[in-house]
Amino acid sequence: MIACNDVSVAFGDKTVLSRVSLHVKRGEFLCLLGQSGCGKSTLLRTIAGLQAPTSGSVEVDGHAVSGPDRSCSVVFQDYSLFPWMTTGRNLLLALREEHPDKSKRELVALAESYLEMVGLGGAFDKYPDALSGGMRQRAAIARALGSQRPVLLMDEPLGALDPVNRTLLQNLLHALYRDSDGMRTVVFVTHDVEEALYLGTRIAVLGSSPGRVLALEENPVAPAVPRAERFRDPRVKALRERIMETYRVDVARRSNNDDLYTI
């Protein structure tokens, strides 16, 4: 479905990504997990066609990516809502393109249902500057979900949310993916190990200086397994320890001082 083939990205003399090769299967929920500055967001933008690789190539569904890909919807860290439009009209922009046969009344009802889904019922006529940062991000997520494109790219979409709403949105994304019957492929950027273990069917652990794939790990627990049961599973606990050890070795390599960096 998505193929990153020996992708490198440099800005001037700084190499942000180095020879990343990564294949994402159709219907997979892949988490790009790594510490700040490891190039996770750059890799996501490259997949979306918003950043050209310095070398290597990206393909989505067998087609080379040379610009923004219409099969992908993207949720950025910075909400990306048009401030001069109400929250509802921001959603309607995406919905009109996806459902050209629906009437205005049907589209409004659909937009309201997606807002309700992310806990923003009643926010249709509010402008983005009347919403908190977390509420704006939830509106951006609702818009991406409403687009119903086969690939959903998410760049730390829950980072601005308070713990309660972050958990609620994690549960929502988990349920939507679980119930999609493999119809949607998700690439999700996060630096939160627990979030990756909860949401991801597979986890790509990235290291930095330069950014590269350190490990690819299959989540041993099926998406249908509830959160509490998932984190009690000894296989998930073991996976968490492997990821943390991968981080520790990478930090030690860069610092050349194993004693100062114990995670």
Side-chain angles (χ1 to χ4, degrees):
M1 178 65 174
I2 301 172
C4 299
N5 304 307
D6 212 23
V7 169
S8 294
V9 176
F11 299 107
D13 60 356
K14 180 175 176 57
T15 300
V16 178
L17 292 174
S18 178
R19 306 191 67 176
V20 172
S21 291
L22 184 65
H23 287 209
V24 186
K25 295 171 282 190
R26 188 181 304 279
E28 183 173 25
F29 196 125
L30 178 77
C31 284
L32 298 178
L33 176 66
Q35 301 172 77
S36 297
C38 71
K40 304 183 300 294
S41 295
T42 299
L43 180 56
L44 194 83
R45 291 176 63 85
T46 304
I47 293 171
L50 302 173
Q51 171 66 53
T54 305
S55 61
S57 64
V58 177
E59 296 178 359
V60 174
D61 217 10
H63 302 290
V65 173
S66 58
D69 195 298
R70 290 181 60 82
S71 65
C72 301
S73 57
V74 186
V75 179
F76 299 99
Q77 296 180 44
D78 57 358
Y79 322 132
S80 63
L81 299 174
F82 294 116
W84 60 87
M85 291 183 175
T86 65
T87 304
R89 292 195 177 279
N90 268 279
L91 264 70
L92 288 174
L93 274 180
L95 293 174
R96 283 195 190 99
E97 186 173 354
E98 294 299 319
H99 305 283
D101 56 326
K102 289 188 181 296
S103 68
K104 181 179 179 180
R105 183 188 297 273
E106 290 172 318
L107 290 173
V108 168
L110 193 57
E112 289 176 335
S113 72
Y114 278 108
L115 289 172
E116 186 74 35
M117 186 184 295
V118 297
L120 289 178
F124 186 95
D125 292 321
K126 293 182 178 179
Y127 285 88
D129 63 2
L131 305 177
S132 69
M135 292 170 75
R136 276 177 275 174
Q137 187 65 308
R138 281 186 274 158
I141 291 170
R143 184 178 60 185
L145 294 174
S147 72
Q148 296 184 337
R149 295 181 182 180
V151 179
L152 178 58
L153 307 175
M154 309 188 83
D155 188 3
E156 295 196 60
L158 310 183
L161 301 181
D162 61 84
V164 172
N165 279 308
R166 183 168 187 152
T167 298
L168 290 174
L169 264 294
Q170 285 175 349
N171 291 342
L172 172 65
L173 290 174
H174 182 264
L176 289 173
Y177 173 77
R178 182 194 63 210
D179 298 337
S180 70
D181 295 324
M183 296 300 293
R184 176 167 277 172
T185 304
V186 183
V187 181
F188 186 98
V189 167
T190 182
H191 61 262
D192 186 315
V193 176
E194 275 66 31
E195 187 168 71
L197 290 171
Y198 179 47
L199 294 174
T201 58
R202 195 160 58 116
I203 300 168
V205 184
L206 272 63
S208 59
S209 300
R212 68 219 182 280
V213 177
L214 299 176
L216 277 171
E217 297 278 3
E218 294 283 345
N219 195 323
V221 180
V225 176
R227 181 192 291 263
E229 184 178 342
R230 174 180 300 267
F231 285 109
R232 286 195 300 267
D233 193 303
R235 295 171 298 170
V236 172
K237 293 179 180 180
L239 175 54
R240 185 187 188 281
E241 290 306 312
R242 287 201 303 276
I243 290 171
M244 299 310 288
E245 176 64 10
T246 299
Y247 279 158
R248 189 197 67 78
V249 170
D250 185 51
V251 171
R253 177 193 64 80
R254 287 185 280 121
S255 67
N256 199 28
N257 190 336
D258 207 348
D259 295 332
L260 291 180
Y261 291 86
T262 302
I263 299 177

